[in-house]
């Protein structure tokens, strides 16, 4: 029987580094890792808390913590978060079905669980979803085989060819709910509703600003969550014909902070007016933050989450405490469609909208106009 003291003995015997009480992420943020619940400083999700206590077996729990620690410290907070979620969703949530308890011998049951997951994934053409779980098992075996991982099975897994996540199917199949919006029948309905909307309520101004930016640039919602008010720059404030540029954070360039790198994008005045209206409304809102009567620096984002970002609050990530999540941005778009009751002429139902669909819409429109592949990739 393997118990917690035996695990501690193994850690001491093999000279392994034990899980520290606090971890510094690759982005330079510190969070408490002393228990079985880690509140990650990852403000893009409504809930970025990892609950290791769900993993029954103590050795599996400890090894998973070690791998999450490695990912967070060497790659990114997102890498650690995504790895845990995939391992739990695809494998460990079925632990009891395969009789993996607190102190049972998990070696063979875990192999059976993984083999079952692989067979199921192949049958449903989802083998790509097992990429991170397989990497987890291989890494744990390489570093902590003494805990009960099988080296021979790890070699088999490491030799597997895992296909990538299928991309572009909604575009190629012209899916009416997931593919690009029809540029003549659907997109004009959004634009016209946005132009006719004169509401000055904060949530309505946020909806219009998010929609304007999504139509103009087709960006990932995470780009918008990191925008701040001063990222909108008026290059000709004294001129009759105003020229706006927005400094768009580049979130997928491997930098430590999404705001370490920007790309300047020209923003049409017709869209810029929705951002200016939102900025004016934000000025009425007090989002200053103080802890123990001491002011905390928290730059005001363009899209303010007035209830506070739960993940940022839980991890004391004060710089992002009023940032919206990616899901919040998508929620603004969906709320706009519901509020205006925009019906798709193609489906006869409420228009299905997301930042991804608007991204597809921009890309297919530019491709139809003959833009080069190089320039399309840049956009």
């Amino acid at each position: 029987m393997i118990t917690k003291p035996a695990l501690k003995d193994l850690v001491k015997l093999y000279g392994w580094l034990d899980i520290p009480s606090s971890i510094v992420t690759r982005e330079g943020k510190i969070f408490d890792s002393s228990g079985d619940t880690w509140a990650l400083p990852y403000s893009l999700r409504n809930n970025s808390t990892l609950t290791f206590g769900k993993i029954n077996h103590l050795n599996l729990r400890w090894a998973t913590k070690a791998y999450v620690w490695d990912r967070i410290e060497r790659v990114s907070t997102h890498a650690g978060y995504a790895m845990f979620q995939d391992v739990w969703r695809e494998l460990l949530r079925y632990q009891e079905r395969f009789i993996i308890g607190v102190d049972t011998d998990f070696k063979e049951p875990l192999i059976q669980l993984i083999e079952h997951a692989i067979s199921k994934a192949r049958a449903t053409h989802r083998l790509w979803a097992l990429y991170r779980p397989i990497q987890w098992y291989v890494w744990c075996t390489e570093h902590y085989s003494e805990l009960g991982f099988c080296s021979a099975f790890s070699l088999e897994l490491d030799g597997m060819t895992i296909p990538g996540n299928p991309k572009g199917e909604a575009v190629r199949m012209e899916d009416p709910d997931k593919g690009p919006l029809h540029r003549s029948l659907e997109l004009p309905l959004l634009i016209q509703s946005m132009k006719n909307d004169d509401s000055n309520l904060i949530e309505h101004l946020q909806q219009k600003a998010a929609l304007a930016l999504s139509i103009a640039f087709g960006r990932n919602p995470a780009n918008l969550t990191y925008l701040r008010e001063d990222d909108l720059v008026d290059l000709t404030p004294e001129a009759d014909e105003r020229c706006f540029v927005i400094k768009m954070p580049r979130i997928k360039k491997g930098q430590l902070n999404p705001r370490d790198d920007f790309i300047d994008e020209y923003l049409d005045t017709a869209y810029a007016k929705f951002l200016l209206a939102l900025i004016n409304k934000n000025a009425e809102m007090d989002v200053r933050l103080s802890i123990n009567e001491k002011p905390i620096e928290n730059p005001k984002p363009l899209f303010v989450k007035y209830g506070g970002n739960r993940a940022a609050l839980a991890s004391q990530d004060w710089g992002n405490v009023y940032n919206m999540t990616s899901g919040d941005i998508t929620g603004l778009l969906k709320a706009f469609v519901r509020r205006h009751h925009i019906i798709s002429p193609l489906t006869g139902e409420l228009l299905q909208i997301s930042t991804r669909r608007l991204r597809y819409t921009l890309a297919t429109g530019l491709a139809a106009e003959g833009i080069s592949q190089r320039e399309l990739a840049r956009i």
Side-chain angles (χ1 to χ4, degrees):
M1 179 179 293
I2 300 176
T3 61
K4 195 168 184 178
L7 173 59
K8 290 184 176 181
D9 290 342
L10 287 172
V11 171
K12 184 177 180 180
L13 175 64
Y14 293 105
W16 297 332
L17 290 177
D18 205 351
I19 309 300
S21 58
S22 63
I23 290 174
V24 180
T25 71
R26 182 174 180 267
E27 297 84 4
K29 298 177 180 179
I30 303 175
F31 68 93
D32 181 6
S33 56
S34 58
D36 287 335
T37 302
W38 294 3
L40 301 184
Y42 188 49
S43 60
L44 289 180
R45 296 288 188 274
N46 280 313
N47 183 2
S48 59
T49 298
L50 305 185
T51 308
F52 292 95
K54 297 188 296 185
I55 303 174
N56 292 337
H57 201 289
L58 300 178
N59 290 10
L60 280 178
R61 186 187 307 173
W62 187 90
T64 304
K65 283 184 180 181
Y67 190 35
V68 172
W69 171 25
D70 176 83
R71 297 287 87 190
I72 288 174
E73 193 173 68
R74 293 199 306 108
V75 183
S76 68
T77 304
H78 169 77
Y81 172 87
M83 191 284 301
F84 178 85
Q85 297 298 339
D86 282 7
V87 170
W88 174 256
R89 182 184 64 251
E90 303 296 333
L91 296 180
L92 295 183
R93 66 173 172 151
Y94 303 111
Q95 57 191 335
E96 293 179 0
R97 184 186 302 178
F98 288 82
I99 318 178
I100 300 176
V102 176
D103 54 8
T104 57
D105 181 357
F106 71 81
K107 187 174 185 176
E108 291 302 322
L110 184 57
I111 290 175
Q112 293 172 13
L113 195 164
I114 295 174
E115 288 178 337
H116 173 78
I118 291 173
S119 297
K120 184 178 178 181
R122 281 181 170 148
T124 56
H125 306 288
R126 289 186 69 256
L127 195 56
W128 52 268
L130 292 178
Y131 176 78
R132 289 193 183 100
I134 286 174
Q135 291 300 304
W136 163 79
Y137 190 92
V138 171
W139 187 92
C140 289
T141 305
E142 289 178 351
H143 292 81
Y144 307 114
S145 61
E146 294 84 358
L147 291 179
F149 296 94
C150 177
S151 298
F153 185 62
S154 175
L155 288 174
E156 290 184 29
L157 293 178
D158 201 25
M160 286 181 60
T161 299
I162 305 296
N165 185 353
K167 298 180 183 296
E169 290 185 355
V171 175
R172 289 191 296 272
M173 300 300 292
E174 298 182 351
D175 190 305
D177 288 327
K178 297 181 180 180
L181 298 175
H182 195 288
R183 294 182 64 83
S184 300
L185 298 178
E186 294 179 318
L187 186 59
L189 296 178
L190 285 174
I191 295 175
Q192 194 60 42
S193 296
M194 185 169 56
K195 289 180 178 179
N196 294 338
D197 188 340
D198 58 0
S199 172
N200 198 42
L201 293 177
I202 182 64
E203 58 267 32
H204 297 169
L205 293 175
Q206 289 177 334
Q207 291 169 13
K208 289 181 282 186
L211 182 58
L213 288 172
S214 297
I215 291 174
F217 302 120
R219 284 297 198 277
N220 187 302
N223 291 102
L224 307 191
T225 67
Y226 288 114
L227 280 174
R228 295 177 185 167
E229 292 181 343
D230 56 5
D231 290 331
L232 180 65
V233 180
D234 188 350
L235 298 180
T236 56
E238 304 300 328
D240 293 334
E241 293 291 333
R242 302 175 72 179
C243 179
F244 291 93
V245 166
I246 190 163
K247 302 172 71 67
M248 189 69 70
R250 307 183 76 181
I251 62 170
K252 291 189 176 182
K253 297 302 176 183
Q255 62 265 21
L256 298 181
N257 188 312
R259 292 186 55 82
D260 284 347
D261 189 23
F262 299 87
I263 182 170
D264 291 346
E265 298 279 18
Y266 166 73
L267 181 62
D268 190 282
T269 306
Y271 291 135
K273 70 177 185 180
F274 296 111
L275 275 64
L276 293 172
L278 177 57
I279 290 171
N280 289 335
K281 190 68 173 182
N282 282 344
E284 303 174 7
M285 310 295 182
D286 184 5
V287 294
R288 290 174 295 179
L289 184 67
S290 63
I291 304 298
N292 297 326
E293 299 184 353
K294 293 182 179 180
I296 300 294
E297 182 180 358
N298 61 312
K300 183 187 289 186
L302 176 63
F303 294 96
V304 179
K305 188 177 178 70
Y306 288 101
N309 184 297
R310 288 187 298 171
L313 287 167
S315 61
Q316 299 184 0
D317 182 12
W318 307 127
N320 294 316
V321 76
Y322 285 111
N323 281 32
M324 285 192 174
T325 66
S326 295
D328 291 331
I329 298 295
T330 299
L332 290 175
L333 303 182
K334 293 182 180 297
F336 179 87
V337 169
R338 288 195 302 269
R339 182 161 63 90
H340 288 276
H341 196 65
I342 301 175
I343 302 297
S344 168
L346 300 180
T347 65
E349 298 178 349
L350 203 64
L351 183 66
Q352 296 298 311
I353 189 172
S354 67
T355 53
R356 184 178 295 276
R357 290 200 74 187
L358 291 172
R359 184 181 184 87
Y360 291 159
T361 305
L362 177 69
T364 54
L366 291 173
E369 293 170 8
I371 192 173
S372 69
Q373 290 187 2
R374 183 184 183 89
E375 183 62 12
L376 182 59
R378 184 199 69 80
I379 293 173

